[in-house]
Amino acid sequence: MSSPASTPSRRRGKRGRGSNPPTPQDARSPPSQKRRTDDSTGDLQPMPTSPPADVQSPGAADALFSSPPQFRHSAIPLDFDISSPLTYGTPSSRVEGTPRSGVRGTPVRQRPDLGSVRKARQVDLHSDGLAEDIVATEQSLGQRLVIWGTDVNVASCKEKFQRFLQRFIDPLDKEDEDIGLDLNEPRYMQRLQEINMVGEPFLNVNCDHLRSFDENLYRQLICYPQEVIPTFDMAANELFFDRYPDSILEHQIQVRPYNALKTRNMRNLNPEDIDQLITISGMVIRSSQLIPEMQEAFFRCQVCAFTTRVEIDRGRIAEPSVCKNCNTTHSMALIHNRSMFSDKQMIKLQESPEDMPAGQTPHTVALFAHNDLVDKVQPGDRVNVTGIYRAVPIRVNPRVSSVNSVYKTHIDVIHYRKTDSKRLHCVDEETEQKRFTEERVEMLKELSKKADIYERLALALAPSIYEHEDIKKGILLQLFGGSRKDFTHTGRGNFRAEINILLCGDPGTSKSQLLQYVYNLVPRGQYTSGKGSSAVGLTAYVMKDPETRQLVLQTGALVLSDNGICCIDEFDKMNESTRSVLHEVMEQQTLSIAKAGIICQLNARASILAAANPIESQWNPKKTTIENIQLPHTLLSRFDLIFLMLDPRDEAYDRRLARHLVSLYYQTEEKLEEEYMDMAVLRDYIAYARSYVNPRLGEEASQALIEAYVDMRKIGSGRGMVSAYPRQLESLIRLAEAHAKVRFSEKVETIDVEEAKRLHREALKQSATDPRTGIVDISILTTGMSATARKRKEELAQALRKLIQSKGKTPSLKYQQLLDDLRAQSETAITKEMFEEALRALADEDFLTVTGKTVRLL
Amino acid sequence: MPCVGDWLNSPLSIVQGIFAQNVPNSDWEKKVTEFFKEKLKENNATNWVPSLNDVPVHYLKPNSLVKFRCMVQDMFDPEFYMGVYETVDPNTNARVLRFGKYRDVAECGPQQEIDLNSSQTVTSERQTFYCVPVPGESAWVKEISFFASQARVSPSTSYTPSRHKRSYEEDEDMDLHPSKQKEQHMGKSCCWLQILCFSGSDIHGCVEPKRLETEASAGHHVISPNCSPPLDLNFPLPGEKGPACLVKVYENWESFKVNDVLEVFGVLSVDPVLSIVNSEERDSSTLDPVECMDTAEEQRVHSPPASLVPRIHVILAQKLQHINPLLPACLNEEESKTCEFVSNFMSELSPVRAELLGFLTHALLGDSLAAEYLILHLISTVYARRDVLPLGKFTINLSGCPRSGAFTEHLYRLIQQLVPASYHLRMSIESMNHSRFIPHKDYTANRLVSGLLQLASNTSLVIDETQLEQGQLDTAGVRNVTALGNLITWQKVDYDFNYHRMEFPCNINVLITSEGRSLLPSDCQVHLQPQIIPPNMEEYMSSLLTAVLPSVLNKFRIYLSLLRLLDYSISDEVTKAVEEDFVEMRKNNPESVTADDLHRMLLVARFLSLSAGQTTLSRERWLRAKQLEALRKARLQQQQSVNGNEL
């Protein structure tokens, strides 16, 4: 369709077809041509009845695509704008009888997204003479007719695209994206059917599909979007109205290609990309007000009421100075109500933070959105934009001979795709997929086959932190996460797949450093400190926008780290109310908000990695975990793994530590790099596993898990304690799944369960060992013990000691006798358990020992 | 080939010459850079180039070659420009090919038009950096580099270094001012800027003639009625002066980062047409909203008037390792000259160190231990990062500073005399709540608004906590304190991009002076034990400074800058010894020596060795480091027991 006009001469120079000077047609805007074209075809041969594309006469195509100027005047019917959606008055009242249908009846909506390049076009009026030649050469070309300046043959392009629409079946279709599409039927025909039913005349075409179908057509689309997209529009419309001749649409279907592979990163844009179809990702930082852009001005003579239309040309309307009808000068007046406007919006897009090289500031690019795409995005949205990259010379100042040599660049938006709205229900596979090149995937897979990959990755994690291998392994599994399970239909909702870890221990054991590392490693990590964060900072709050008086929901760290890891330092310093927020997040993975009239539930599927210091600043080995960190056990039980990071007082360890530290102080940066796996590889490995590997439990593994759980229960049952709860079983499953993910395995096997068991046991051994009994006691974590209970126990022990001392120097006492004496002495009831606890406490102080039924003093 | 004066005065004609010779090929660009590289290699040639740091911009000839020592404050979007274009004379149809590189404006002769549709047009890309002079640059750096270049600057500029006071009349009459004629027809729009300029020049004319008159807007509200508030030049530190500059980089711009210190050689462009284009556009924006892609603020920031923010089109740019003018700019070992310089200096290192130690001991009121630590602090630098952990930072908290007699103030002045860049941050409730520490992105103007903590590498930040009173910190205050804490612990600043934060690693030497232990984290706390309390602090300190010969002072400066750049290693043997030592110490008392202590001791040992010019750790140094640490700790413990519960 649109002609030489669309090829700015700049490009010509680059492509080496520079000898042709532009033609007067340059001046005309593609949108108007488009309408004109349809009108003209209407006169010549109605579209719906047009013969199949392959036999279409070159003459018709010629008329279509290089319509000579004189033809145009005759072609515009007076009642043209009746059906335009922008015209005032009800169109239906003026349409003669029949309902609007078919290509002829359906109005064409202008596509300013393709057309605004006309401002870039500089018309060379002095080369009028040459224009004829062009037309002539085109005609002489006959069958091999291509759009001027390109290698696009309209007829064949149209035909190819129709074939694509009719036949394309996506071999690798993802079910989640297109709900309700039959995967074995041609995909885009179903889309057309959808358009017929829903009435939204936009056909989104994935360029990736087009590429797999016809490489050449794809190339043409990327290189000459301005010419090819209107051709696609035509093809789609013909096909559509062929099938659904009675369909009524607001305007004709517009094809919106997306996912062009050309460019992904704003930083890679360069002069080569000008006027090509590109897709870039970024974040919207500013959007302008709606700008009504005049497309066509309507003038009426005040003397004789003769009317005429003037199209916009390079951003200006040339007001007719003389009335063509009565020859009165300066009698033409602009009638605003009958002029045509289109919506336009300026948007600033900023590079997404992930794409930015370290130490540089983000780039921005201007976007122009037109018509339907206006107000589709808000500042803060992450979007993938497909559009045409434009460079416009800054307007020539008539008074100054020199020109600013800088071009202004922008992108005319054709298609938006929000990336974070997608994130709310599933991980965005489109973008993830693109991030890995095939070699990279191959490399990662190769890596995953190594037998010691688990150890290797654990080593690569925070190499500057010395040892603590099990903790690193735990964090590694947390980074991979379990598989997401959905039990909504059985009424249990989602099972959490995220693994939560608590590190506690002495200050100065590089807990914060580990947290910092993890925060830096994962793309969607958040780092907060318990001391500085409030409940709102973690969750979300409602704010009134000062300008619009609109209520806005601002999200906090937990919501922001959805699908990521939220690192909370100084967990113990967090105040009660803030911590209570975590209860919901850590099990249900949602956040409920009821504030200022906004009631909602946000997803917060964040893994939590928390670090806590002991309450007495130094870890007291005589006390349990709960006593040492004073966190409510309801919260503690929500952590899958609780690790102690203690300063091991051991000579060999000291020696190794010293060597490690000394090496830090003289090795140069390059040497450090070599030794360990690159952080980028680790990051990719995790990202790949998270998005592609989804292990399920195997038969053997299930059996092993059951056994493990039963074993855990058994340990405690002997002593009348419960040592495992279903929550622990769930933890085990998650850990096993994560370990399978590390191996890139789709099935959880026994070795995964073994490692999960081992790690779980290690963590329990550290955190849930009763310091008095030396027995792993899960009840410490699950039920804890209140401070008053502990106090009472303390008092009881003291009372018992007094009692024994009062008895004088007896080397041994009878167990039962002692209990009875104590009971008689005390005001409150004393159970056998309490008595035993008291005895044990005294034994801890090396005051006595209990052997069988006798108590011996030491 | 053109003679010497030419490449300084009109580099564009050289470029034109090379362009004309090589035009069909695209390698003319390479030849241009090679030509200038050769020219600048010649003996002292770099000193011939007038520096924008020293000479006010209106004394410099437009389109002449200038140099500028600056820090990259912000990076704007890349620009597409006409690399090569063709002009055509409508009457004769004569076509001329021209280049657009190193220019803001596509020029064409009278009676000519640019043929925008020419097939010869080549679109190219360049990157714009917003650069400011190195924040906190010490006066002595400016002075020394000024005199170095001053000697030979006269042929290239109309500026004579005479320091007479300029009057308004002279300025008005100054027809020498090259852009003046052009400015006349541009009417009022730019007039206020000139007023701004000249009123500035009057103020500084007598005091510091070498500084540039354009000043951060703050004090100047002499504005004509039709213009918006004056432009904020976006200096990181308050009260900074100097030219801000839009630096257009044509090659390798990916290698530069925000906060890098650069020295650029390029073509100065102050074409007033630039301002015209913009003001026109601003006027028409109300009529034609479609054209107005950017907001008015963005326009102002991204294309400020050239008289206020000149443009430099970079021909050559290099990252600077340091800004000390007493050292060779580039310290790589290949060059014999620098080698010689280094080895010469190394031979007389120990007397310099002894003298510096003595000087600092006096400055710290006779406390030699604190002086020793201060030296270590001053030569510390982050030499590597191990994932998130910065190695080599050595933040000192100098506690026990007397509040009386503005001791900290004077101490800072002394440090300022020694280091090339520094800033004195006086902590107070007011300043913490109201100043801007963290740079943040202003999306309306589309720029990074600078903050106090946007500093170049190796800047000394002296934080004075002695003035801090009790009071309430508000949200901004808490954020600022957190930012300081992060800076000290991780050597990074999280710039605020509104929708997300971004981490910028930095390398800033932080010295905290306080009465008790500082509320900010530090690597090492040294408690000051003054031996003498001078009755008049001011007199004492200034006499201290005057007592030092300028040549000795310069040696101190070289000493501190040079040692920072040395490499360092530890032999296996010493590693073993250190290991043994650590295990031994832990055996006796595991509580007393932790991994953190070992970290610190290794740091002290590193800087101690370097301060003596040794690049490997020896056993003696290690023992000395241990000894120093022991002394320091003993002092702290003593202090604790004196003050009872103070920690």
Side-chain angles (χ1 to χ4, degrees), chain A residues 9 122 286 344 346 348 350 356 359-360 364 399 403 405 407 463-464 520 651 655 659 664-665, chain B residues 77 80 82 106 117 254 256 258 280 290 293 298 386-388 443-444 502 579-580 583 586 591 599:
Chain A
S9 42
Q122 300 301 320
R286 193 172 72 212
K344 181 172 178 174
M346 202 276 286
K348 274 267 167 172
Q350 183 184 276
M356 232 159 30
Q360 305 213 343
T364 57
R399 275 177 290 157
V403 196
S405 63
Y407 295 100
S464 68
N520 278 305
E651 195 181 310
R655 195 176 296 274
R659 193 176 309 145
L664 279 185
Y665 279 85
Chain B
D77 294 330
F80 291 172
M82 290 178 249
N117 296 314
E254 301 89 355
F256 300 119
V258 173
E280 287 267 325
V290 178
M293 277 195 227
E298 190 168 345
R386 192 71 183 268
D387 35 73
V388 289
Y443 283 114
T444 16
M502 208 155 31
E579 243 174 75
E580 292 294 331
V583 171
R586 296 263 302 176
E591 300 285 316
H599 260 288

Side-chain angles (χ1 to χ4, degrees), chain B residues 79-94:
Chain B
E79 289 180 337
F80 291 172
Y81 68 99
M82 290 178 249
V84 177
Y85 61 95
E86 205 171 22
T87 54
V88 62
D89 190 325
N91 301 324
T92 60
N93 235 352

Side-chain angles (χ1 to χ4, degrees), chain B residues 151-431:
Chain B
R152 294 167 201 84
V153 81
S154 22
S156 59
T157 57
S158 58
Y159 176 51
T160 41
S162 62
R163 300 191 175 197
H164 67 272
K165 188 172 174 175
R166 305 189 70 90
S167 68
Y168 275 109
E169 290 81 56
E170 273 177 292
D171 282 324
E172 292 299 322
D173 292 341
M174 194 178 59
D175 279 336
L176 287 173
H177 191 187
S179 55
K180 182 93 176 168
Q181 290 97 326
K182 287 181 200 162
E183 272 171 9
Q184 271 164 358
H185 66 76
M186 74 201 221
K188 274 184 189 170
S189 66
C190 250
C191 222
W192 66 274
L193 287 168
Q194 276 185 313
I195 294 169
L196 196 84
C197 266
F198 293 142
S199 63
S201 89
D202 198 47
I203 290 167
H204 301 293
C206 49
V207 196
E208 292 156 313
K210 60 192 174 292
R211 303 274 171 78
L212 186 67
E213 282 78 350
T214 49
E215 198 178 329
S217 54
H220 294 267
H221 288 285
V222 267
I223 303 151
S224 62
N226 66 337
C227 87
S228 32
L231 196 67
D232 174 14
L233 287 182
N234 213 0
F235 295 123
L237 301 175
E240 289 261 297
K241 303 183 195 79
C245 199
L246 284 173
V247 172
K248 313 255 177 184
V249 185
Y250 290 84
E251 278 127 20
N252 290 330
W253 57 78
E254 301 89 355
S255 64
F256 300 119
K257 290 180 176 159
V258 173
N259 300 348
D260 273 352
V261 177
L262 310 179
E263 183 167 53
V264 297
F265 292 88
V267 182
L268 179 73
S269 165
V270 285
D271 202 325
V273 174
L274 291 172
S275 328
I276 293 185
V277 170
N278 297 326
S279 58
E280 287 267 325
E281 241 163 59
R282 210 178 305 158
D283 294 342
S284 63
S285 66
T286 45
L287 300 170
D288 189 2
V290 178
E291 280 296 309
C292 163
M293 277 195 227
D294 309 328
T295 57
E297 289 96 330
E298 190 168 345
Q299 284 278 340
R300 277 159 54 78
V301 167
H302 285 255
S303 30
S307 49
L308 198 61
V309 180
R311 276 68 163 164
I312 294 182
H313 294 269
V314 174
I315 296 174
L316 288 174
Q318 61 169 337
K319 261 194 242 186
L320 292 181
Q321 281 176 297
H322 63 89
I323 53 166
N324 191 338
L326 299 165
L327 258 64
C330 191
L331 280 174
N332 51 0
E333 273 135 43
E334 283 96 69
E335 274 185 61
S336 57
K337 234 172 67 186
T338 57
C339 247
E340 202 178 313
F341 176 86
V342 171
S343 59
N344 275 349
F345 190 80
M346 282 306 189
S347 61
E348 51 168 355
L349 202 66
S350 51
V352 174
R353 186 185 198 279
E355 255 183 282
L356 179 61
L357 186 64
F359 176 71
L360 289 179
T361 309
H362 284 299
L364 292 169
L365 309 176
D367 186 341
S368 61
L369 182 70
E372 190 80 57
Y373 271 97
L374 190 56
I375 293 183
L376 304 186
H377 163 75
L378 288 175
I379 62 167
S380 71
T381 179
V382 177
Y383 61 91
R385 275 170 202 273
R386 192 71 183 268
D387 35 73
V388 289
L389 186 75
L391 298 172
K393 65 175 178 99
F394 196 59
T395 304
I396 281 193
N397 172 205
L398 197 63
S399 59
C401 294
R403 277 190 78 165
S404 57
F407 165 73
T408 51
E409 196 71 34
H410 292 292
L411 181 66
Y412 170 68
R413 272 185 219 159
L414 291 185
I415 292 175
Q416 207 178 13
Q417 284 298 320
L418 299 174
V419 296
S422 61
Y423 181 66
H424 193 197
L425 178 65
R426 296 166 193 85
M427 265 176 113
S428 68
I429 294 293
E430 171 94 8
S431 73

Side-chain angles (χ1 to χ4, degrees), chain A residues 696-741:
Chain A
R696 296 263 169 255
L697 285 181
E699 189 54 45
E700 279 173 53
S702 313
Q703 213 52 51
L705 278 168
I706 293 167
E707 270 168 37
Y709 181 60
V710 171
D711 281 349
M712 279 161 72
R713 297 276 297 190
K714 260 189 209 150
I715 296 173
S717 64
R719 285 174 289 124
M721 287 189 289
V722 185
S723 62
Y725 290 90
R727 245 186 205 156
Q728 269 71 45
L729 178 59
E730 282 172 26
S731 290
L732 273 186
I733 297 173
R734 274 191 288 273
L735 290 170
E737 282 166 348
H739 190 262
K741 268 193 193 178

Side-chain angles (χ1 to χ4, degrees), chain B residues 342 345-350 353 379 559 562-563 566-568 605-617 621:
Chain B
V342 171
F345 190 80
M346 282 306 189
S347 61
E348 51 168 355
L349 202 66
S350 51
R353 186 185 198 279
I379 62 167
Y559 175 85
L562 185 65
L563 292 181
L566 292 182
D567 279 335
Y568 176 76
R606 176 189 174 98
F607 297 127
L608 206 58
S609 307
L610 286 178
S611 75
Q614 293 175 351
T615 53
T616 53
L617 179 63
R621 294 283 157 209

Side-chain angles (χ1 to χ4, degrees), chain B residues 461-591:
Chain B
L461 180 65
V462 180
I463 302 177
D464 184 2
E465 213 185 80
T466 55
Q467 306 300 319
L468 193 62
E469 299 284 345
Q470 284 185 6
Q472 171 91 49
L473 284 180
D474 59 20
T475 333
V478 172
R479 268 232 300 277
N480 285 340
V481 174
T482 320
L484 273 181
N486 271 340
L487 170 75
I488 293 166
T489 327
W490 306 110
Q491 286 288 335
K492 63 166 192 186
V493 181
D494 284 327
Y495 290 13
D496 183 3
F497 281 81
N498 199 356
Y499 302 102
H500 59 98
R501 271 183 290 169
M502 208 155 31
E503 208 170 89
F504 282 80
C506 54
N507 183 3
I508 297 170
N509 292 12
V510 187
L511 175 70
I512 309 162
T513 54
S514 60
E515 277 185 288
R517 202 178 95 158
S518 166
L519 65 90
L520 295 169
S522 63
D523 293 317
C524 165
Q525 185 192 355
V526 182
H527 197 85
L528 191 70
Q529 282 184 342
Q531 307 296 313
I532 31 163
I533 302 285
N536 187 341
M537 190 72 80
E538 173 132 33
E539 215 168 84
Y540 174 77
M541 289 292 197
S542 48
S543 68
L544 206 60
L545 204 57
T546 43
V548 185
L549 291 173
S551 64
V552 178
L553 202 56
N554 278 350
K555 279 197 178 132
F556 291 169
R557 290 163 180 168
I558 296 173
Y559 175 85
L560 292 178
S561 300
L562 185 65
L563 292 181
R564 212 175 245 169
L565 302 169
L566 292 182
D567 279 335
Y568 176 76
S569 66
I570 302 176
S571 66
D572 285 347
E573 198 181 332
V574 180
T575 308
K576 266 249 145 28
V578 170
E579 243 174 75
E580 292 294 331
D581 242 11
F582 182 65
V583 171
E584 197 59 34
M585 284 188 279
R586 296 263 302 176
K587 214 183 254 169
N588 300 336
N589 188 355
E591 300 285 316

